Amino acid sequence: MSAPIDGLRTPLEICSFCPKLCRFACPVAEVEHRETVTPWGLMTYADDLRRQAKAPGDEAAEVWSHCTGCDRCQAVCKHHNPVADTIQRLRAMTEAPHSTRLWAREAAPQPESWRTLPQGGEVRLMVGRAGDDRMAAALTAWTSAGLGPLGRTSTATSGHRLHAVGLMEEYAAHRAEISGGLQGVTKVVCLDAEDVIALRREVGAGIAVIHIVAALAEVKPTNRVFVGDVLYLDACRCGRGLGLYDGPRAALDGMVTGRIIEGLMSRDEGGCCGAGAGYAALEPEHAADMARAWAEVALDIPVIIVGHCADHLRAALSPRPVWSWIEALA
């Protein structure tokens, strides 16, 4: 293991020599209350293995699974050290825990309304992990905005879950299947930010990959479906990953009669729902605690968030109402 880890020396040393200045920023460390799972702890453990100050053991894969990949630590780091990316590369050197492997291989829902879209056309929709309701809402919003014909991608997702837990051979096979189905495509619209990030990493410059939020940026709703205030939370991949902060808020402004309340952690320093990188499969109770800590403000009003984070928040915050942004827009 030491040879591959040698290539990660710079990010590992930046963390291991730092006096844990980002500890407060890690949602996992905040709910688990363990130094081992802080960004400093995860990276220092790897650096100890790199320097052969510690013998590698079976616990490595489990330790490195205590990261949702939310990038909040990088957002507050003075060096912008890519901790989540480094942890993902470390996972690829080990075998992920059974629970996260099952999570990564879980089949996407593939709603009926997505499967009925044609596979041809220049503009394709990647449904991601959306269920029937979110998919139907996306089609309603797309059609209402008059954005033209829409086909579907050959696969429901980019395979980002496989990449996140380090199943790189399976991810490569999935990536090859996607590439084979993108001939003649000029734009891919994704319902999940993780798919946007993964596809932009893999496809050529000739194909635009955008999030549904960006595609609907010009839509200005006037139907105020929420009476009173709402709490808006910045999903980490949509916010820190894609920089989509103002667009969702601008659309939401036309949907509420009251105020858009910000979470205690918002924009670049937004929180994490706890579902990322298989963490909810590994530590379901801690993942639920993470969601509750993030939404612990204005407890009597609905929560709105972009993407599949809404599904995890609904389960964690029940019976509090949680809306996916695209469902509210539609």
Side-chain angles (χ1 to χ4, degrees):
M1 181 182 288
S2 60
I5 286 185
D6 282 341
L8 302 175
R9 176 175 178 173
T10 297
L12 293 179
E13 286 190 343
I14 288 174
C15 272
S16 60
F17 284 107
C18 174
K20 309 177 191 177
L21 294 180
C22 74
R23 190 213 182 285
F24 76 94
C26 178
V28 174
E30 287 296 285
V31 295
E32 292 198 29
H33 307 294
R34 292 196 294 148
E35 291 300 316
T36 306
V37 300
T38 63
W40 175 87
L42 298 177
M43 298 284 271
T44 298
Y45 176 74
D47 199 44
D48 286 344
L49 295 180
R50 182 190 66 81
R51 295 183 296 104
Q52 298 183 347
K54 182 177 290 186
D58 294 337
E59 75 279 2
E62 200 278 337
V63 168
W64 291 327
S65 294
H66 288 254
C67 171
T68 65
C70 76
D71 276 334
R72 193 164 187 254
C73 55
Q74 183 175 345
V76 303
C77 176
K78 298 298 182 183
H79 302 281
H80 300 290
N81 201 29
V83 174
D85 178 67
T86 304
I87 295 299
Q88 185 279 324
R89 293 170 67 184
L90 290 166
R91 287 172 179 154
M93 301 174 194
T94 58
E95 183 177 38
H98 180 67
S99 59
T100 58
R101 279 183 280 130
L102 288 178
W103 172 84
R105 292 166 176 154
E106 184 182 26
Q110 299 194 24
E112 178 65 24
S113 56
W114 178 74
R115 287 188 286 112
T116 56
L117 292 175
Q119 273 198 271
E122 294 185 1
V123 182
R124 308 279 180 89
L125 178 70
M126 179 166 279
V127 68
R129 313 299 304 188
D132 290 315
D133 291 344
R134 189 152 60 96
M135 176 62 201
L139 285 181
T140 296
W142 183 274
T143 303
S144 298
L147 296 177
L150 189 64
R152 64 179 172 92
T153 51
S154 57
T155 62
T157 81
S158 63
H160 63 83
R161 285 189 174 190
L162 298 169
H163 183 274
V165 304
L167 298 174
M168 301 311 291
E169 289 186 6
E170 295 176 47
Y171 176 64
H174 190 90
R175 182 179 60 201
E177 183 180 354
I178 292 172
S179 298
L182 291 179
Q183 286 81 12
V185 175
T186 59
K187 181 185 293 184
V188 178
V189 180
C190 302
L191 299 192
D192 289 335
E194 292 89 341
D195 289 319
V196 177
I197 294 168
L199 287 181
R200 284 180 178 176
R201 184 174 57 236
E202 304 296 346
V203 304
I207 301 177
V209 182
I210 64 172
H211 194 280
I212 189 72
V213 167
L216 297 171
E218 301 304 317
V219 174
K220 304 298 180 186
T222 57
N223 184 17
R224 299 191 181 275
V225 295
F226 295 100
V227 177
D229 302 335
V230 298
L231 173 64
Y232 180 75
L233 301 177
D234 289 292
C236 53
R237 267 60 166 203
C238 188
R240 281 187 294 276
L242 300 177
L244 295 173
Y245 294 119
D246 295 331
R249 285 172 170 81
L252 190 57
D253 188 52
M255 301 183 217
V256 300
T257 62
R259 299 168 298 162
I260 301 172
I261 306 297
E262 299 284 347
L264 296 175
M265 301 173 284
S266 63
R267 293 189 176 263
D268 282 349
E269 294 187 20
C272 178
C273 74
Y279 182 70
L282 183 77
E283 295 282 350
E285 291 303 318
H286 283 135
D289 288 342
M290 193 183 303
R292 287 188 282 266
W294 190 19
E296 196 173 15
V297 62
L299 296 175
D300 58 340
I301 63 176
V303 178
I304 299 180
I305 190 167
V306 173
H308 65 84
C309 294
D311 297 329
H312 181 67
L313 286 170
R314 282 188 188 115
L317 304 181
S318 180
R320 187 176 182 183
V322 177
W323 287 70
S324 168
W325 179 88
I326 192 67
E327 292 176 273
L329 182 70

